[in-house]
Amino acid sequence: MRTFKEKLAHNILPQWEEHYINYSELKYLVKQIQRRASFIDMGESDYIVGSKTEKAHLLKTTSPTHFEQEFIAECEKVEVWYGSKLEEYNAQFDRLQKYDKPIAAHTPLTSKDDIRETQDSKGFLLEWYSIKRSYIDLYKMLRLLQNFAHVNYTGLRKILKKHKRKCGDQHENVNCALNNALHDFAFSHALPMKECILRVESYFTRTFHGNDRVLALAELDGWKDSTLNWQHFYSGLKMGAVIVLALWLVWDDVVLVWGKKSEALKLTQTKAYPFYRGMAIFIFFLWLWAGTLYTWQAARINYRYICELDPHVTPDYSQVLDDASHLSIVYFVNFILYAQIENQVLPENIPKGYFPLTFALYLIFYFTSKDWGRHRRIALVLRDIVLSPIFPVSYFHTFAANYMTSATKMNQDIAWSVCYFSTGEFLDESTSTDICANNLYLTRVAVPLITTLPLWWRFVQSLRRVYDMKSWFPGVLNALKYAFSLLVSLFGILHSFYSPVQPSNTIQIVWIVLFVMSSLYNWLWDVIMDWGLGRPQYNFLGDWHMYSRRWIYYFAIVADLILIFSWSLALIPPMDNDAFTFMGLLLCVQPFTMFLEPIRRSMWSCFAMENEHLSVWFRKESFIPLHFERKHERTDLNDAAHYAYKVAALAVAVLILCFVAVFLI
């Protein structure tokens, strides 16, 4: 049978842990009172021989335990937190009612078709769903607060019962006084909170379910059918198959091959290795994206509202996980067959070059067969990014462009794959990859553009933000960050004969300094601006958090510093096979470092979206999306032209520096 101490530990909400009663300390004080009373009740003969005044001396020189003060202090601690959270939730409920007048005017709306018939506005569906989710989240937090009050009240009552049982009748008056004091605190009965819960239930039932209380409570409580969810079972089977196939590939074609001294080819020596490497990064991005979506959902970060995504067509983490596991199975089966044929374990009844081609065609078919009409928002964002700075920049524009900068290695391998298939090299029986490796358009045009264009788009987006905000800060500093990265990348791509490990002239030293400065600049911007951390007054964290474990933030700060340097190096494609040069070193570690940037970007996404949730859209509200009516502000034309000239001048300056880096000899 579990003790109440164990039950309390299992019912504590981690974010509120410091506001629960210290049950162990109160229990210890009760035991101290019991021991003190037992010792005092001992007979005179039980004391030290020859010292009849020992009892009086002990009573005079020792002080009793401060159980009463500690008990009241614990009650006050719970009361303060309970009162502050209840006041916050009541204010949020009132604020929600204020901002959902368009929703309430068209109630009851129980389906998406009803919404479309009622309101033609494109944003109405998003507003309706966001408001609905806000009420559900508010209801959950009220239930958690109710559990908080109930658990603490139960613990304090148990302490009083233990005090009465162990301390005897001589402390009965104290026990009665403490019991009366306990019931004077609001959390002991929690009547205002129950009233607030009933208000939310009533309003939610009337507004979203046409007074059907059963359906309303089922949705508020997150009720689900208790029968087996075969979709989850199927997803679990697929993930198990992915693990088995991955271990098979690693053991059969990596461990055993590397341990042999035979003529067996290593995976990195196969002709189609760059294609499979690029596809591996793409699928790895899918897995990490599913994990990122799950993290946001668990922390109640409303990423759909922040990014202005349609919640009814935006896939959740389970759908992305299903896609990732499905493609992983096809990928590993295809790669294993290709590797077995390369090492002559299986007969080559079909030319081995058709295996990567088959997977490429299947991947194209898999995604083109989806209903892309429902994802028009993503296509428009990509168009806006490519045509920057013509269109205004939203948070989702910058978020997607940041992911494009992290997909550089994947896009380089995809460009190589296009060359590999279009030139017919995939049908060549030799292991040489000279056709694409020496292709001038690929190495000197496509790869530099793939590497630098995402950085240029982010640079231009930052300048557009300067123009829109009519303020240099923080847009111009962000633009300089990407300008540094752009120069470092161009220099590393087009002048790969320079070694940052053993510089031999002034130009190389300047490039090394730029490389280090750019990496540190990116790291500081991630931590301070994108994540809202690094505040000394908050122990180098932020003033508000949505993730319960503080050590995660410190770990992320240190990990980002390490990974940011690998990202800068990843922008430079190694072009030298000599293992004793710096570029040769990059080539050797590339199979491992290529997965570091997706990990860093996913980690960055978790904290960047949290910061956006807290500091911009939600004004430090834990979960409520505030729906402000934003009116278009009229700007002075002269002021706009003034900033346009300055932004254009800065862009021209960066372009000149880029040309210098390209044509520098």
Side-chain angles (χ1 to χ4, degrees):
M1 182 177 179
R2 286 184 176 180
T3 63
F4 181 79
K5 179 180 178 180
E6 295 173 332
K7 294 179 181 178
L8 178 63
H10 283 85
N11 282 277
I12 284 180
L13 192 65
Q15 299 92 318
W16 300 353
E17 185 173 2
E18 60 185 17
H19 303 288
Y20 285 80
I21 62 170
N22 192 337
Y23 183 79
S24 299
E25 179 65 20
L26 292 176
K27 186 178 178 181
Y28 172 76
L29 292 176
V30 171
K31 289 183 178 179
Q32 292 294 91
I33 295 175
Q34 180 190 19
R35 291 173 182 173
R36 180 182 175 84
S38 299
F39 186 77
I40 292 174
D41 291 340
M42 291 169 57
E44 292 288 348
S45 59
D46 295 327
Y47 289 93
I48 300 174
V49 178
S51 180
K52 296 182 179 180
T53 61
E54 181 67 17
K55 179 177 180 179
H57 175 70
L58 289 174
L59 292 175
K60 183 178 180 181
T61 57
T62 59
S63 58
T65 59
H66 299 284
F67 171 74
E68 296 88 344
Q69 294 88 333
E70 290 295 330
F71 186 88
I72 296 298
E74 292 295 313
C75 291
E76 291 175 347
K77 179 177 69 174
V78 175
E79 179 75 4
V80 169
W81 181 253
Y82 165 80
S84 64
K85 300 305 290 185
L86 181 60
E87 182 180 357
E88 176 186 341
Y89 296 151
N90 273 308
Q92 289 172 352
F93 179 56
D94 295 337
R95 191 157 47 246
L96 271 176
Q97 288 181 302
K98 176 182 177 181
Y99 289 116
D100 70 348
K101 290 181 180 179
I103 301 295
H106 299 284
T107 56
L109 301 175
T110 57
S111 69
K112 187 166 60 176
D113 295 334
D114 293 337
I115 297 171
R116 288 175 176 171
E117 292 175 1
T118 305
Q119 192 78 320
D120 295 331
S121 174
K122 295 180 180 179
F124 186 76
L125 178 61
L126 180 61
E127 291 286 320
W128 179 84
Y129 182 83
S130 181
I131 284 285
K132 189 177 182 181
R133 286 300 313 170
S134 299
Y135 278 110
I136 294 174
D137 288 341
L138 174 60
Y139 185 79
K140 289 179 180 178
M141 294 308 298
L142 285 170
R143 286 296 190 185
L144 289 174
L145 185 61
Q146 186 180 39
N147 182 68
F148 170 83
H150 177 73
V151 166
N152 283 286
Y153 172 75
T154 304
L156 292 169
R157 284 286 298 159
K158 284 186 172 292
I159 290 295
L160 288 180
K161 290 181 179 179
K162 192 180 294 292
H163 177 267
K164 183 177 182 179
R165 185 175 65 254
K166 291 184 177 293
C167 299
D169 296 336
Q170 56 183 335
H171 292 274
E172 184 175 358
N173 293 334
V174 174
N175 189 276
C176 291
L178 292 177
N179 185 63
N180 293 333
L182 171 62
H183 288 87
D184 288 337
F185 288 101
F187 74 88
S188 63
H189 50 78
L191 292 179
M193 181 183 57
K194 295 176 183 177
E195 293 175 359
C196 187
I197 291 176
L198 291 175
R199 287 172 60 201
V200 174
E201 290 177 352
S202 176
Y203 189 86
F204 190 84
T205 301
R206 182 176 66 256
T207 305
F208 297 101
H209 287 279
N211 291 321
D212 191 332
R213 184 172 174 79
V214 175
L215 291 179
L217 292 180
E219 185 169 13
L220 285 173
D221 290 329
W223 179 86
K224 295 182 180 180
D225 195 351
S226 59
T227 58
L228 177 63
N229 191 324
W230 288 103
Q231 181 181 1
H232 294 170
F233 180 76
Y234 178 62
S235 299
L237 282 179
K238 290 201 296 184
M239 284 188 281
V242 169
I243 295 174
V244 172
L245 290 171
L247 292 175
W248 183 358
L249 178 66
V250 171
W251 178 258
D252 204 23
D253 296 293
V254 177
V255 177
L256 295 182
V257 170
W258 280 76
K260 293 179 181 178
K261 295 183 179 180
S262 61
E263 298 298 325
L265 285 174
K266 300 179 177 64
L267 289 180
T268 56
Q269 297 173 336
T270 57
K271 182 184 287 287
Y273 169 70
F275 166 78
Y276 285 109
R277 179 180 60 195
M279 295 300 100
I281 298 176
F282 173 75
I283 296 174
F284 189 56
F285 262 118
L286 283 181
W287 284 101
L288 292 175
W289 181 243
T292 302
L293 293 178
Y294 175 79
T295 302
W296 289 339
Q297 180 174 320
R300 298 179 296 107
I301 297 174
N302 199 339
Y303 64 93
R304 291 187 178 97
Y305 185 81
I306 295 173
C307 297
E308 301 177 0
L309 300 173
D310 187 344
H312 291 278
V313 299
T314 303
D316 60 6
Y317 75 92
S318 61
Q319 294 171 295
V320 179
L321 205 63
D322 187 68
D323 288 340
S325 58
H326 175 81
L327 292 176
S328 296
I329 292 174
V330 179
Y331 170 83
F332 281 121
V333 170
N334 188 281
F335 199 2
I336 289 172
L337 291 174
Y338 175 81
Q340 295 294 319
I341 294 176
E342 278 280 14
N343 289 318
Q344 300 179 355
V345 177
L346 295 177
E348 191 175 353
N349 297 325
I350 301 175
K352 57 180 177 290
Y354 282 109
F355 283 93
L357 179 62
T358 302
F359 181 76
L361 294 176
Y362 178 79
L363 192 67
I364 295 172
F365 169 77
Y366 183 80
F367 283 103
T368 54
S369 62
K370 292 181 176 293
D371 186 6
W372 286 105
R374 305 176 67 187
H375 301 280
R376 186 169 176 267
R377 166 70 175 158
I378 306 296
L380 292 177
V381 167
L382 293 177
R383 180 207 65 183
D384 295 348
I385 292 173
V386 173
L387 298 179
S388 298
I390 299 175
F391 298 98
V393 179
S394 68
Y395 179 77
F396 190 44
H397 287 87
T398 62
F399 186 85
N402 278 321
Y403 259 87
M404 294 174 71
T405 62
S406 297
T408 298
K409 296 302 298 181
M410 180 187 73
N411 292 332
Q412 288 176 1
D413 286 335
I414 291 176
W416 181 92
S417 301
V418 172
C419 174
Y420 178 67
F421 294 124
S422 61
T423 59
E425 187 178 353
F426 71 100
L427 296 176
D428 188 3
E429 294 296 328
S430 66
T431 58
S432 174
T433 57
D434 292 339
I435 297 178
C436 290
N438 298 324
N439 188 292
L440 181 63
Y441 295 103
L442 176 66
T443 58
R444 290 297 174 179
V445 178
V447 170
L449 286 177
I450 289 171
T451 304
T452 57
L453 273 180
L455 296 172
W456 171 255
W457 289 330
R458 282 297 291 121
F459 170 76
V460 176
Q461 282 181 342
S462 300
L463 295 184
R464 176 60 193 242
R465 290 292 294 166
V466 172
Y467 174 78
D468 291 338
M469 297 174 63
K470 304 298 181 292
S471 174
W472 288 106
F473 182 83
V476 71
L477 296 180
N478 200 22
L480 290 177
K481 179 188 74 170
Y482 289 103
F484 270 125
S485 299
L486 193 60
L487 293 174
V488 170
S489 301
L490 283 172
F491 196 97
I493 292 170
L494 301 176
H495 308 286
S496 58
F497 49 84
Y498 289 135
S499 171
V501 178
Q502 296 177 340
S504 59
N505 56 45
T506 305
I507 296 178
Q508 295 183 54
I509 295 175
V510 171
W511 181 74
I512 295 172
V513 172
L514 285 176
F515 171 78
V516 175
M517 289 178 57
S518 175
S519 299
L520 291 177
Y521 198 167
N522 277 278
W523 174 67
L524 290 174
W525 191 272
D526 284 351
V527 174
I528 298 175
M529 301 302 297
D530 290 343
W531 296 353
L533 305 178
R535 308 293 194 266
Q537 64 271 32
Y538 300 110
N539 296 323
F540 293 96
L541 298 181
D543 57 342
W544 200 264
H545 307 287
M546 300 186 73
Y547 302 118
S548 58
R549 298 291 185 266
R550 294 294 180 265
W551 65 266
I552 295 177
Y553 294 92
Y554 293 110
F555 174 81
I557 292 173
V558 176
D560 192 63
L561 176 61
I562 299 172
L563 296 176
I564 203 74
F565 281 91
S566 69
W567 173 76
S568 298
L569 289 176
L571 296 178
I572 306 171
M575 300 180 182
D576 191 347
N577 292 328
D578 186 359
F580 296 99
T581 65
F582 178 71
M583 291 301 168
L585 177 63
L586 287 183
L587 188 62
C588 293
V589 300
Q590 194 180 65
F592 307 100
T593 59
M594 67 180 184
F595 292 102
L596 296 181
E597 176 55 19
I599 294 174
R600 188 192 75 87
R601 181 56 63 190
S602 299
M603 181 180 68
W604 174 88
S605 302
C606 294
F607 297 104
M609 193 67 72
E610 178 207 30
N611 185 45
E612 183 69 14
H613 183 120
L614 294 173
S615 61
V616 178
W617 285 87
F618 300 93
R619 309 299 178 191
K620 299 188 183 300
E621 296 291 339
S622 297
F623 63 93
I624 299 295
L626 304 182
H627 303 275
F628 296 102
E629 295 182 2
R630 295 178 175 84
K631 298 181 180 180
H632 297 286
E633 298 180 358
R634 299 183 61 182
T635 58
D636 188 358
L637 295 179
N638 293 329
D639 191 34
H642 174 72
Y643 271 92
Y645 292 142
K646 289 185 176 181
V647 167
L650 186 58
V652 170
V654 173
L655 278 176
I656 293 174
L657 291 175
C658 291
F659 278 114
V660 172
V662 170
F663 297 106
L664 181 65
I665 299 178

